[in-house]
């Protein structure tokens, strides 16, 4: 008996234009199979190194040196577990998380969750808009608000990319990730970090719960901020959809298990790269900006600090600042691509609504620009205010996270829905404990910030 959900002809598949569009070899070596399946994880990893994560990680290092590296590690392991469940849901049921929510939960809950997730997407978009806008402002000297409004043109970027095929999108995203990784690896290398300090930092320490405060944040508040900024709700919807881009023989249970296996490899490899980037950000903060946390709490401050000998020491130069801005722009553009796809997945999945991609993206982008426009009218577009908007967008994402995690665990643990591919009991219990812990920690973060 088939345990997966087979869409009938009247039902739309998730991201229909790329669903089951990538061929995979039926009988191939491990490495050939991995090469065919690798790619979707790169788009997922983007959300774990977007502009919203940067400030928290760098300030964490600048405030408490390498202490919070263990938090980066723990949050990355949590992300790997949840993303594996999201990818598995898509492969087995042939529904993304939004479609599964619409099909299997009461109507009142379905629409309530849609509103929360749609607001979370706007909050994610806000960080992309401001991050990309500030990067353009720093690189080309454009007026800040002109640079931010230029990001509306990103709406049409993915429309042209989609015509090239999904593998091309994966390649572009992977190239941008590699750019970010190389830039931060170089910045970290020349800052001469303590190797001993790094290894010690990956070992969890009880002192994280110490209420002693450096600057504006306690250790615990920054630890919660790193966790809250790492696991993103929109990534769960994205992964449950794009895991279906590989063609799978659904009449063959071995083919389904193989798809799940290589999806897991892809996801964990790419999230490991995101873990390295986030670790590099924190190490950079510790080795270059320690003792200057208050001076690097915004993107422009970080940009200026990299060229300031009184902060960055002898390695300070305009080149470092430019590299930082290039990495910020690459991160913003990557997030634009994944945000566009997720906006389509959520709207079509929850509402069974078919709108042109450009219309969905333009609507969410304009809504993301609304708070920026209001801040400009009230405070004159001060960068400090825009950076504060990013902080509050991360707070809302933390609040929205449980509304995505708990349905995901519920669906993937259901034998009725998943059959023999449902979560093992230990995996389900661990996931619910993690989800509960994240919920409590995120509530604590919100209380601390507000």
């Amino acid at each position: 008996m088939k345990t997966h959900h087979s869409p009938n002809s009247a039902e739309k598949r998730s991201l229909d234009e790329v669903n089951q569009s990538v061929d995979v070899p039926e009988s191939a070596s491990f490495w050939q199979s991995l090469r065919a399946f690798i790619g979707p994880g790169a788009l997922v990893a983007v959300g774990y190194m977007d502009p919203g994560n940067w400030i928290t990680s760098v300030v964490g290092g600048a405030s408490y040196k390498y202490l919070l590296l263990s938090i980066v590690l723990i949050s990355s392991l949590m992300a790997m577990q949840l993303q594996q469940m999201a990818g598995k849901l898509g492969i087995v049921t042939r529904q993304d998380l939004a479609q599964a929510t619409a099909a299997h939960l009461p109507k009142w809950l379905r629409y309530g969750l849609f509103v929360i997730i749609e607001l979370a997407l706007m909050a994610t978009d806000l960080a992309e808009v401001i991050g990309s806008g500030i990067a353009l402002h720093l690189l080309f000297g454009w007026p800040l608000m002109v640079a931010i409004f230029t990001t509306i043109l990103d709406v049409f970027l993915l429309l042209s990319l989609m015509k090239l095929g999904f593998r091309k999108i994966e390649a572009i995203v992977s190239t941008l990730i590699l750019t970010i990784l190389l830039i931060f690896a170089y910045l970290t290398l020349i800052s001469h970090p303590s190797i001993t300090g790094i290894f010690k930092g990956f070992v969890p320490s009880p002192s994280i719960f110490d209420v002693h405060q450096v600057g504006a944040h306690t250790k615990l508040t920054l630890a919660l901020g790193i966790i809250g900024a790492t696991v993103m709700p929109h990534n769960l919807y994205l992964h449950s959809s794009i895991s279906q881009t590989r063609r799978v023989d659904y009449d063959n249970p071995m083919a389904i298990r193989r798809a799940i296996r290589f999806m897991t490899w892809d996801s964990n490899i790419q999230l490991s790269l995101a873990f390295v980037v986030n670790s590099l950000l924190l190490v950079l903060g510790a080795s270059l900006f320690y003792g200057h946390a208050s001076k690097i709490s915004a993107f422009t401050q970080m940009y200026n600090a990299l060229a300031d000998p009184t902060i960055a020491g002898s390695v300070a130069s305009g080149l470092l600042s430019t590299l930082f801005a290039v990495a910020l722009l690459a991160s913003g553009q990557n997030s634009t691509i994944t945000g566009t796809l997720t906006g389509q997945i959520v709207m079509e999945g929850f509402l069974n609504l078919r709108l042109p991609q450009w219309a969905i993206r333009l609507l969410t982008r304009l809504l993301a620009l609304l708070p920026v426009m209001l801040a400009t009218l009230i405070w004159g577009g001060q960068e400090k205010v825009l950076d504060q908007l990013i902080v509050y967008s991360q707070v809302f994402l933390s609040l929205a996270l449980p509304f995505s995690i708990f349905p995901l665990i519920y669906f993937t643990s259901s034998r009725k829905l998943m059959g023999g591919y449902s979560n093992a009991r230990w995996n389900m219990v661990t996931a619910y404990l993690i989800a509960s812990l994240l919920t409590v920690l995120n509530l604590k973060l919100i209380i601390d910030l507000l």
Side-chain angles (χ1 to χ4, degrees):
M1 186 178 74
K2 293 180 183 178
T3 56
H4 60 275
H5 170 86
S6 299
N8 60 44
S9 58
E11 190 176 352
K12 295 293 184 183
R13 298 181 301 176
S14 183
L15 289 180
D16 202 27
E17 61 269 51
V18 293
N19 195 291
Q20 302 282 301
S21 65
V22 179
D23 287 317
V24 294
E26 288 186 19
S27 54
S29 68
F30 172 85
W31 295 109
Q32 286 173 322
S33 297
L34 181 61
R35 184 182 176 188
F37 277 94
I38 208 157
L43 276 73
V44 171
V46 164
Y48 293 91
M49 56 177 96
D50 73 341
N53 291 25
W54 289 24
I55 291 173
T56 316
S57 295
V58 177
V59 171
S63 301
Y64 300 106
K65 283 225 158 181
Y66 307 103
L67 179 71
L68 299 178
L69 278 172
S70 60
I71 302 299
V72 176
L73 175 61
I74 290 167
S75 57
S76 296
L77 293 173
M78 289 178 177
M80 286 179 185
Q81 182 189 29
L82 294 169
Q83 291 299 160
Q84 193 272 345
M85 288 183 182
K88 183 172 70 170
L89 177 73
I91 291 170
V92 175
T93 66
R94 304 186 74 181
Q95 290 181 319
D96 59 53
L97 182 55
Q99 291 173 325
T101 302
H104 303 290
L105 293 184
K107 190 172 283 190
W108 65 269
L109 185 55
R110 163 189 175 183
Y111 290 120
L113 289 173
F114 168 70
V115 171
I116 292 168
I117 301 308
E118 198 60 47
L119 289 171
L121 282 175
M122 291 174 200
T124 306
D125 214 21
L126 181 69
E128 297 164 19
V129 165
I130 295 175
S132 294
I134 289 175
L136 291 170
H137 166 65
L138 294 173
L139 284 169
F140 304 112
W142 299 349
L144 186 57
M145 294 318 297
V146 171
I148 285 173
F149 278 94
T150 302
T151 63
I152 293 177
L153 299 176
D154 289 346
V155 174
F156 307 103
L157 174 68
L158 187 67
L159 291 174
S160 55
L161 292 179
M162 287 291 270
K163 294 174 184 175
L164 300 176
F166 201 70
R167 287 295 266 174
K168 295 290 192 301
I169 293 175
E170 292 170 353
I172 291 166
V173 167
S174 296
T175 302
L176 290 172
I177 288 175
L178 190 62
T179 302
I180 296 165
L181 178 64
L182 290 174
I183 286 173
F184 281 120
Y186 173 70
L187 292 178
T188 304
L189 189 66
I190 64 168
S191 68
H192 304 296
S194 163
I195 303 302
T196 308
I198 291 171
F199 280 111
K200 284 183 179 177
F202 283 121
V203 180
S205 168
S207 65
I208 290 171
F209 297 95
D210 185 1
V211 293
H212 176 67
Q213 186 167 326
V214 173
H217 308 284
T218 65
K219 296 172 187 175
L220 185 60
T221 303
L222 277 174
L224 298 181
I226 289 170
I227 293 172
T230 300
V231 185
M232 294 288 200
H234 73 279
N235 262 333
L236 303 177
Y237 293 88
L238 176 67
H239 201 190
S240 63
S241 175
I242 61 176
S243 64
Q244 300 176 55
T245 53
R246 270 49 183 177
R247 190 165 293 151
V248 177
D249 178 7
Y250 278 91
D251 293 319
N252 181 358
M254 290 300 293
I256 299 173
R257 290 198 178 278
R258 176 170 171 260
I260 293 171
R261 178 189 175 207
F262 283 102
M263 172 277 298
T264 304
W265 272 101
D266 172 41
S267 177
N268 289 346
I269 288 169
Q270 306 283 7
L271 289 178
S272 295
L273 288 177
F275 159 70
V276 170
V277 169
N278 285 326
S279 297
L280 289 173
L281 284 163
L282 195 141
V283 169
L284 183 67
S287 56
L288 210 57
F289 301 132
Y290 183 65
H292 300 282
S294 61
K295 298 176 183 176
I296 49 101
S297 59
F299 291 128
T300 305
Q301 285 182 318
M302 287 184 202
Y303 175 86
N304 292 331
L306 285 166
D308 186 347
T310 63
I311 298 176
S314 59
V315 300
S317 72
L319 173 64
L320 299 191
S321 294
T322 302
L323 287 174
F324 173 81
V326 169
L328 182 61
L329 185 60
S331 180
Q333 291 309 296
N334 253 350
S335 298
T336 289
I337 292 171
T338 57
T340 304
L341 291 172
T342 311
Q344 182 180 347
I345 291 161
V346 167
M347 194 164 284
E348 291 180 354
F350 274 103
L351 305 181
N352 197 22
L353 185 66
R354 302 292 288 183
L355 286 177
Q357 259 189 297
W358 66 266
I360 292 173
R361 187 55 177 174
L362 190 58
L363 179 63
T364 53
R365 178 53 59 98
L366 288 172
L367 287 170
L369 283 171
L370 190 61
V372 181
M373 290 161 60
L374 290 173
T376 306
L377 290 172
I378 299 169
W379 292 287
Q382 298 174 39
E383 289 171 33
K384 189 175 180 180
V385 175
L386 297 180
D387 287 311
Q388 200 63 29
L389 277 176
I390 290 184
V391 172
Y392 286 117
S393 75
Q394 299 304 303
V395 171
F396 186 81
L397 286 175
S398 300
L399 187 64
L401 187 59
F403 296 98
S404 301
I405 293 181
F406 283 104
L408 173 67
I409 301 169
Y410 171 73
F411 292 139
T412 53
S413 300
S414 166
R415 288 194 70 82
K416 181 181 177 182
L417 189 61
M418 301 288 289
Y421 309 99
S422 61
N423 297 329
R425 182 171 291 276
W426 68 266
N427 196 14
M428 177 185 72
V429 171
T430 306
Y432 274 125
L433 287 173
I434 287 173
S436 302
L437 178 65
L438 283 173
T439 302
V440 171
L441 292 180
N442 284 334
L443 284 173
K444 173 79 168 67
L445 172 65
I446 291 161
I447 291 167
D448 284 350
L449 287 173
L450 298 181

Short mmCIF file of all heavy atoms in Angstrom, two decimals, residues 170-203:
data_model
loop_
_atom_site.label_atom_id
_atom_site.label_comp_id
_atom_site.label_asym_id
_atom_site.label_seq_id
_atom_site.Cartn_x
_atom_site.Cartn_y
_atom_site.Cartn_z
N GLU A 170 20.41 26.68 -8.26
CA GLU A 170 21.23 26.07 -7.21
C GLU A 170 22.70 26.44 -7.38
O GLU A 170 23.40 26.72 -6.40
CB GLU A 170 21.06 24.55 -7.24
CG GLU A 170 19.68 24.07 -6.83
CD GLU A 170 19.43 22.59 -7.11
OE1 GLU A 170 20.31 21.95 -7.74
OE2 GLU A 170 18.38 22.08 -6.70
N ALA A 171 23.16 26.46 -8.63
CA ALA A 171 24.57 26.79 -8.90
C ALA A 171 24.87 28.25 -8.54
O ALA A 171 25.92 28.55 -7.95
CB ALA A 171 24.89 26.54 -10.37
N ILE A 172 23.95 29.16 -8.88
CA ILE A 172 24.14 30.59 -8.57
C ILE A 172 24.18 30.80 -7.06
O ILE A 172 25.06 31.49 -6.53
CB ILE A 172 23.02 31.43 -9.22
CG1 ILE A 172 23.18 31.43 -10.74
CG2 ILE A 172 23.04 32.86 -8.68
CD1 ILE A 172 21.96 31.94 -11.49
N VAL A 173 23.23 30.18 -6.36
CA VAL A 173 23.17 30.32 -4.90
C VAL A 173 24.44 29.74 -4.26
O VAL A 173 25.02 30.35 -3.36
CB VAL A 173 21.91 29.61 -4.34
CG1 VAL A 173 21.98 29.46 -2.83
CG2 VAL A 173 20.66 30.40 -4.72
N SER A 174 24.89 28.58 -4.74
CA SER A 174 26.10 27.95 -4.19
C SER A 174 27.32 28.83 -4.42
O SER A 174 28.20 28.94 -3.54
CB SER A 174 26.32 26.58 -4.85
OG SER A 174 25.27 25.70 -4.53
N THR A 175 27.39 29.50 -5.57
CA THR A 175 28.51 30.40 -5.86
C THR A 175 28.52 31.59 -4.90
O THR A 175 29.57 31.99 -4.40
CB THR A 175 28.42 30.92 -7.32
OG1 THR A 175 28.41 29.79 -8.21
CG2 THR A 175 29.59 31.82 -7.65
N LEU A 176 27.33 32.14 -4.64
CA LEU A 176 27.23 33.27 -3.70
C LEU A 176 27.60 32.83 -2.28
O LEU A 176 28.25 33.58 -1.54
CB LEU A 176 25.82 33.87 -3.74
CG LEU A 176 25.46 34.63 -5.02
CD1 LEU A 176 23.98 35.01 -5.02
CD2 LEU A 176 26.31 35.88 -5.18
N ILE A 177 27.18 31.62 -1.89
CA ILE A 177 27.54 31.09 -0.57
C ILE A 177 29.06 30.95 -0.46
O ILE A 177 29.67 31.31 0.55
CB ILE A 177 26.86 29.72 -0.31
CG1 ILE A 177 25.36 29.92 -0.06
CG2 ILE A 177 27.49 29.01 0.89
CD1 ILE A 177 24.58 28.61 0.09
N LEU A 178 29.67 30.41 -1.52
CA LEU A 178 31.13 30.24 -1.54
C LEU A 178 31.84 31.58 -1.43
O LEU A 178 32.86 31.71 -0.74
CB LEU A 178 31.55 29.52 -2.83
CG LEU A 178 32.99 29.04 -2.90
CD1 LEU A 178 33.29 28.02 -1.81
CD2 LEU A 178 33.29 28.42 -4.27
N THR A 179 31.27 32.61 -2.09
CA THR A 179 31.83 33.96 -2.00
C THR A 179 31.82 34.45 -0.56
O THR A 179 32.83 34.97 -0.05
CB THR A 179 31.01 34.93 -2.89
OG1 THR A 179 31.03 34.47 -4.23
CG2 THR A 179 31.59 36.34 -2.82
N ILE A 180 30.67 34.29 0.11
CA ILE A 180 30.54 34.72 1.52
C ILE A 180 31.53 33.95 2.39
O ILE A 180 32.22 34.53 3.24
CB ILE A 180 29.09 34.48 2.01
CG1 ILE A 180 28.11 35.35 1.22
CG2 ILE A 180 28.97 34.77 3.51
CD1 ILE A 180 26.65 34.94 1.38
N LEU A 181 31.62 32.63 2.19
CA LEU A 181 32.50 31.77 2.98
C LEU A 181 33.96 32.19 2.83
O LEU A 181 34.69 32.33 3.83
CB LEU A 181 32.31 30.30 2.55
CG LEU A 181 33.19 29.26 3.24
CD1 LEU A 181 32.89 29.18 4.72
CD2 LEU A 181 33.00 27.89 2.59
N LEU A 182 34.39 32.40 1.58
CA LEU A 182 35.80 32.76 1.32
C LEU A 182 36.13 34.13 1.92
O LEU A 182 37.22 34.32 2.47
CB LEU A 182 36.08 32.75 -0.18
CG LEU A 182 36.09 31.37 -0.85
CD1 LEU A 182 36.24 31.50 -2.36
CD2 LEU A 182 37.20 30.49 -0.27
N ILE A 183 35.21 35.09 1.80
CA ILE A 183 35.46 36.43 2.33
C ILE A 183 35.63 36.38 3.85
O ILE A 183 36.59 36.94 4.41
CB ILE A 183 34.33 37.41 1.94
CG1 ILE A 183 34.45 37.77 0.45
CG2 ILE A 183 34.38 38.68 2.79
CD1 ILE A 183 33.29 38.59 -0.09
N PHE A 184 34.72 35.67 4.53
CA PHE A 184 34.82 35.64 5.99
C PHE A 184 35.99 34.75 6.47
O PHE A 184 36.56 35.01 7.52
CB PHE A 184 33.50 35.19 6.61
CG PHE A 184 32.50 36.31 6.67
CD1 PHE A 184 31.29 36.20 6.02
CD2 PHE A 184 32.78 37.48 7.34
CE1 PHE A 184 30.37 37.24 6.04
CE2 PHE A 184 31.88 38.53 7.37
CZ PHE A 184 30.67 38.41 6.72
N ALA A 185 36.32 33.73 5.68
CA ALA A 185 37.49 32.91 6.02
C ALA A 185 38.75 33.78 5.95
O ALA A 185 39.63 33.72 6.82
CB ALA A 185 37.60 31.73 5.07
N TYR A 186 38.84 34.62 4.90
CA TYR A 186 40.00 35.51 4.74
C TYR A 186 40.04 36.55 5.87
O TYR A 186 41.10 36.76 6.49
CB TYR A 186 39.93 36.21 3.38
CG TYR A 186 40.99 37.28 3.20
CD1 TYR A 186 42.33 36.93 3.06
CD2 TYR A 186 40.64 38.63 3.17
CE1 TYR A 186 43.31 37.90 2.91
CE2 TYR A 186 41.62 39.61 3.01
CZ TYR A 186 42.95 39.24 2.88
OH TYR A 186 43.91 40.20 2.73
N LEU A 187 38.90 37.19 6.15
CA LEU A 187 38.86 38.20 7.22
C LEU A 187 39.25 37.59 8.55
O LEU A 187 39.96 38.21 9.35
CB LEU A 187 37.45 38.81 7.32
CG LEU A 187 36.97 39.68 6.15
CD1 LEU A 187 35.55 40.16 6.38
CD2 LEU A 187 37.89 40.87 5.95
N THR A 188 38.78 36.37 8.81
CA THR A 188 39.10 35.70 10.08
C THR A 188 40.57 35.32 10.14
O THR A 188 41.23 35.49 11.19
CB THR A 188 38.22 34.44 10.25
OG1 THR A 188 36.85 34.80 10.16
CG2 THR A 188 38.47 33.78 11.60
N LEU A 189 41.10 34.82 9.02
CA LEU A 189 42.49 34.38 8.98
C LEU A 189 43.45 35.52 9.31
O LEU A 189 44.38 35.35 10.12
CB LEU A 189 42.81 33.80 7.59
CG LEU A 189 44.16 33.10 7.43
CD1 LEU A 189 44.20 31.84 8.27
CD2 LEU A 189 44.41 32.77 5.96
N ILE A 190 43.22 36.69 8.72
CA ILE A 190 44.15 37.80 8.95
C ILE A 190 43.95 38.46 10.31
O ILE A 190 44.76 39.27 10.73
CB ILE A 190 44.04 38.88 7.83
CG1 ILE A 190 42.67 39.54 7.84
CG2 ILE A 190 44.36 38.29 6.47
CD1 ILE A 190 42.61 40.78 6.98
N SER A 191 42.86 38.10 11.00
CA SER A 191 42.63 38.67 12.35
C SER A 191 43.35 37.86 13.43
O SER A 191 43.30 38.23 14.60
CB SER A 191 41.12 38.73 12.65
OG SER A 191 40.59 37.42 12.79
N HIS A 192 44.01 36.76 13.03
CA HIS A 192 44.80 35.92 13.94
C HIS A 192 44.04 35.49 15.19
O HIS A 192 44.42 35.86 16.30
CB HIS A 192 46.10 36.64 14.34
CG HIS A 192 46.94 37.07 13.18
ND1 HIS A 192 47.52 36.16 12.31
CD2 HIS A 192 47.27 38.31 12.71
CE1 HIS A 192 48.20 36.82 11.38
NE2 HIS A 192 48.06 38.12 11.59
N PRO A 193 42.99 34.70 15.02
CA PRO A 193 42.23 34.25 16.18
C PRO A 193 43.01 33.23 17.01
O PRO A 193 43.98 32.62 16.53
CB PRO A 193 41.00 33.59 15.55
CG PRO A 193 41.47 33.12 14.21
CD PRO A 193 42.47 34.13 13.75
N SER A 194 42.57 33.01 18.24
CA SER A 194 43.18 32.01 19.13
C SER A 194 42.58 30.64 18.81
O SER A 194 41.39 30.42 19.04
CB SER A 194 42.92 32.37 20.59
OG SER A 194 43.15 31.26 21.42
N ILE A 195 43.41 29.72 18.30
CA ILE A 195 42.92 28.37 17.96
C ILE A 195 42.46 27.65 19.23
O ILE A 195 41.42 26.99 19.25
CB ILE A 195 44.03 27.56 17.25
CG1 ILE A 195 44.52 28.29 15.99
CG2 ILE A 195 43.49 26.17 16.88
CD1 ILE A 195 43.43 28.58 14.97
N THR A 196 43.22 27.81 20.32
CA THR A 196 42.84 27.21 21.61
C THR A 196 41.51 27.76 22.08
O THR A 196 40.63 27.01 22.54
CB THR A 196 43.92 27.49 22.68
OG1 THR A 196 45.19 27.11 22.17
CG2 THR A 196 43.62 26.72 23.96
N GLY A 197 41.35 29.08 21.95
CA GLY A 197 40.10 29.73 22.36
C GLY A 197 38.91 29.22 21.57
O GLY A 197 37.82 29.02 22.12
N ILE A 198 39.12 28.97 20.27
CA ILE A 198 38.04 28.48 19.41
C ILE A 198 37.60 27.09 19.86
O ILE A 198 36.41 26.82 20.02
CB ILE A 198 38.50 28.45 17.93
CG1 ILE A 198 38.66 29.88 17.41
CG2 ILE A 198 37.49 27.69 17.07
CD1 ILE A 198 39.32 29.98 16.05
N PHE A 199 38.59 26.19 20.08
CA PHE A 199 38.24 24.82 20.51
C PHE A 199 37.54 24.82 21.86
O PHE A 199 36.58 24.08 22.09
CB PHE A 199 39.49 23.94 20.54
CG PHE A 199 39.90 23.43 19.19
CD1 PHE A 199 41.06 23.88 18.57
CD2 PHE A 199 39.11 22.50 18.51
CE1 PHE A 199 41.43 23.42 17.31
CE2 PHE A 199 39.46 22.04 17.25
CZ PHE A 199 40.62 22.49 16.65
N LYS A 200 38.00 25.67 22.78
CA LYS A 200 37.34 25.77 24.08
C LYS A 200 35.93 26.32 23.94
O LYS A 200 35.01 25.92 24.67
CB LYS A 200 38.16 26.69 25.01
CG LYS A 200 39.40 26.05 25.59
CD LYS A 200 40.10 27.01 26.54
CE LYS A 200 41.34 26.37 27.15
NZ LYS A 200 42.08 27.33 28.02
N GLY A 201 35.75 27.22 22.98
CA GLY A 201 34.44 27.85 22.77
C GLY A 201 33.36 26.88 22.33
O GLY A 201 32.18 27.09 22.61
N PHE A 202 33.77 25.81 21.65
CA PHE A 202 32.79 24.82 21.18
C PHE A 202 32.31 23.88 22.29
O PHE A 202 31.39 23.10 22.08
CB PHE A 202 33.36 24.01 20.01
CG PHE A 202 33.36 24.75 18.71
CD1 PHE A 202 34.56 24.97 18.02
CD2 PHE A 202 32.18 25.23 18.16
CE1 PHE A 202 34.56 25.66 16.81
CE2 PHE A 202 32.18 25.92 16.96
CZ PHE A 202 33.37 26.14 16.29
N VAL A 203 32.96 23.96 23.46
CA VAL A 203 32.52 23.16 24.61
C VAL A 203 31.54 24.00 25.44
O VAL A 203 31.91 25.08 25.91
CB VAL A 203 33.72 22.74 25.48
CG1 VAL A 203 33.24 21.92 26.68
CG2 VAL A 203 34.74 21.98 24.66
#
